[in-house]
Amino acid sequence: LVMSTPAPGRKAGKAMWIVAWLLGLWLATRFFAQWQDTQRNPNQQPESAVGSGYTEVRLASNGQGHFLASGLINGEAVEFLLDTNGTSTGYRTRLTSLQLGDILLSDVRALIAPGMHGEEVLLGMSALKQLEFTQRDGTLLLRQTTTQ
């Protein structure tokens, strides 16, 4: 009875295939997670346009028709869910600054609403009333006019 052991090259080849498959799965998972996040929030880097006397930000709606956008509150990164309807109960506060693309608002009245689910910050009328906004064909255009 003769027992044979696999050649060292075959073991290394098999190990390389396993590593390649694991790496491929890891890359596919990362790609899919990134794609899914982009579908949920298509405005991770909002596009801004600056003209004579105005700054505009154009936002695309996500697959559910909601407008989510990445921005800043007091210099800290947040994800906004824009909402122009409804009332809420909460605690009043003021934000030193709120930024969405190149639109910058200062001293914004805000409401901390306990019980909201998710990580998004609801961007409501206390901020939006300082802007002109129009919605058409799945796009929301925000315009901040500046005085010269």
Side-chain angles (χ1 to χ4, degrees):
L1 184 65
V2 178
M3 306 229 356
S4 65
T5 59
R10 293 190 85 177
K11 273 187 166 181
K14 189 175 184 179
M16 292 301 285
W17 271 109
I18 292 171
V19 169
W21 271 103
L22 291 174
L23 182 61
L25 286 172
W26 181 78
L27 288 172
T29 303
R30 296 263 308 161
F31 173 79
F32 181 72
Q34 215 169 25
W35 175 83
Q36 189 176 26
D37 197 40
T38 301
Q39 294 300 307
R40 192 181 65 73
N41 177 3
N43 305 296
Q44 293 180 15
Q45 296 179 342
E47 293 182 28
S48 300
V50 179
S52 180
Y54 70 90
T55 301
E56 288 181 346
V57 172
R58 186 175 307 271
L59 303 175
S61 64
N62 66 13
Q64 290 79 37
H66 300 285
F67 293 97
L68 275 84
S70 300
L72 302 171
I73 292 180
N74 299 338
E76 296 293 323
V78 297
E79 188 170 73
F80 291 115
L81 171 62
L82 283 79
D83 181 33
T84 59
N85 304 313
T87 58
S88 180
T89 303
Y91 304 97
R92 293 180 188 211
T93 189
R94 286 203 176 267
L95 307 176
T96 305
S97 67
L98 183 149
Q99 185 171 353
L100 182 60
D102 287 337
I103 291 177
L104 179 63
L105 303 175
S106 299
D107 193 31
V108 179
R109 288 184 319 132
L111 193 67
I112 298 170
M116 284 190 60
H117 302 286
E119 297 293 318
E120 298 90 12
V121 174
L122 188 64
L123 185 60
M125 287 307 295
S126 63
L128 293 175
K129 71 181 180 184
Q130 299 179 47
L131 307 171
E132 298 171 21
F133 57 94
T134 56
Q135 180 183 350
R136 184 176 298 126
D137 298 326
T139 301
L140 181 64
L141 180 67
L142 303 171
R143 178 182 271 218
Q144 179 181 36
T145 54
T146 55
T147 53
Q148 301 276 328

